[in-house]
Amino acid sequence: MRVFLTGASGHIGSALIPELITAGHSVVGLARSDDAAALVADRGAEVVRGGLDDLDVLRAAASDCDGVIHLAFRHDLMQVGDMAGAADSDLAALAAIGDAVRGTGKPLVGTSGTLLLAASGITGRPGTEEDALPSGYRIDSENFVIGLADDGVRSSVVRLPPTVHSDLDCHGFVPGLIGFARNAGSSGYLGDGHNRWPAVHTRDAARVYRRALESAPAGTRLHAVAEEGVPFREIAAAIGRGLDVPVVSVPADRAADVFGYLAGFVGIDNPTASTLTRELLDWEPEFPGLLSDLAAGHYFT
């Protein structure tokens, strides 16, 4: 397949381009800047210039390709607190792509997050692929993609855990936590730190996207989750070892001071299952877990 990939110059895109090419696909990668375009080209993909707000570019590229994987998100807006703007931009981009693929039978793989399940009230058990929510931040985009299954699109959504980790991860939640720990001189967790975050290695996540593109049935929600839930206190302890700083409990009223834009996420308990994804896509994780990756040292150099 000729695959249009948004977010091609980013963290997961850097693993997904070679994953797709090795499997025999060709890739057309969206890139806004000269630096991003060079990265995409170096990985072996064709470059189309533009960003998520260039809706005509998105429509044309999606129409010209055999399938679409949508990775890009306005993390720059999220990090300055404009969560609504980031979500609105995502939904508008997907609507443009949807215009191009509706009624074609082409695959469209979207992206969402497992944290949304816990943030929306699914607690006391692991979240599953069968959990669907009526509306909310990024949930509207997820539901839009799933709804395209009724309009002749082989659509699916990959929910990512908050910790997608590897030596390719430079701007995700893990580097964010490490940066906040450096600034504070200590590695923190909220309360008792027993809340859990699921995790997956970047290259394992790339395999989920590739297999979703190739074979996921229309209207499928998938979980790129290798570890169901790593206690946040253990994540903080691994960061503390890596930075050689103390590990401390942070009271809720100081969360914003210590964790910045991640303050609303660090206390969430988000155990997440991936049983259905593993069965449906014949996928099993192959790469090291989160704590092993933190112990490898690359996050701290």
Side-chain angles (χ1 to χ4, degrees):
M1 274 186 270
R2 180 174 162 87
V3 183
F4 175 44
L5 177 63
T6 73
S9 64
H11 167 201
I12 298 173
S14 64
L16 184 52
I17 291 175
E19 174 72 26
L20 290 168
I21 291 174
T22 300
H25 306 290
S26 62
V27 180
V28 177
L30 184 70
R32 178 186 292 277
S33 68
D34 290 343
D35 288 344
L39 286 171
V40 172
D42 285 347
R43 291 166 187 153
E46 178 184 338
V47 176
V48 60
R49 296 299 293 267
L52 280 190
D53 298 329
D54 297 315
L55 303 185
D56 288 340
V57 173
L58 300 181
R59 288 189 192 94
S63 179
D64 189 49
C65 290
D66 303 310
V68 181
I69 298 177
H70 176 55
L71 288 175
F73 190 73
R74 291 292 305 275
H75 294 288
D76 58 323
L77 295 180
M78 185 187 78
Q79 290 174 356
V80 297
D82 188 7
M83 308 282 278
D88 289 345
S89 174
D90 188 53
L91 186 56
L94 281 167
I97 293 169
D99 288 342
V101 300
R102 190 175 280 108
T104 65
K106 293 179 180 180
L108 166 60
V109 186
T111 300
S112 187
T114 67
L115 279 177
L116 303 177
L117 298 175
S120 299
I122 295 175
T123 60
R125 62 168 177 83
T128 75
E129 297 92 335
E130 295 178 323
D131 289 318
L133 302 168
S135 63
Y137 172 73
R138 297 201 73 175
I139 296 167
D140 294 333
S141 290
E142 176 181 311
N143 289 342
F144 175 80
V145 173
I146 295 299
L148 287 173
D150 295 327
D151 293 328
V153 181
R154 187 165 60 77
S155 62
S156 60
V157 170
V158 175
R159 290 173 176 158
L160 293 171
T163 45
V164 182
H165 58 88
S166 71
D167 57 324
L168 302 170
D169 178 20
C170 299
H171 304 289
F173 278 18
V174 173
L177 291 171
I178 291 170
F180 291 131
R182 277 199 177 101
N183 291 338
S186 60
S187 180
Y189 54 87
L190 204 63
D192 61 15
H194 289 165
N195 62 297
R196 295 153 291 177
W197 274 14
V200 69
H201 194 281
T202 307
R203 293 173 178 87
D204 282 324
R207 289 170 50 238
V208 172
Y209 277 98
R210 193 255 300 170
R211 293 189 182 194
L213 175 84
E214 293 171 342
S215 64
T220 305
R221 291 177 172 88
L222 302 162
H223 286 176
V225 170
E227 296 177 280
E228 184 174 291
V230 182
F232 197 92
R233 186 168 181 165
E234 294 184 16
I235 300 172
I239 292 172
R241 289 190 293 272
L243 294 176
D244 193 22
V245 297
V247 181
V248 300
S249 174
V250 176
D253 60 1
R254 292 200 60 240
D257 296 331
V258 174
F259 299 111
Y261 71 93
L262 292 177
F265 302 107
V266 294
I268 292 178
D269 188 36
N270 183 219
T272 305
S274 58
T275 304
L276 296 180
T277 299
R278 296 178 192 227
E279 292 175 353
L280 189 64
L281 301 183
D282 190 24
W283 171 80
E284 287 294 333
E286 297 178 356
F287 290 88
L290 173 59
L291 298 182
S292 295
D293 223 358
L294 285 167
H298 58 79
Y299 272 110
F300 305 101
T301 57

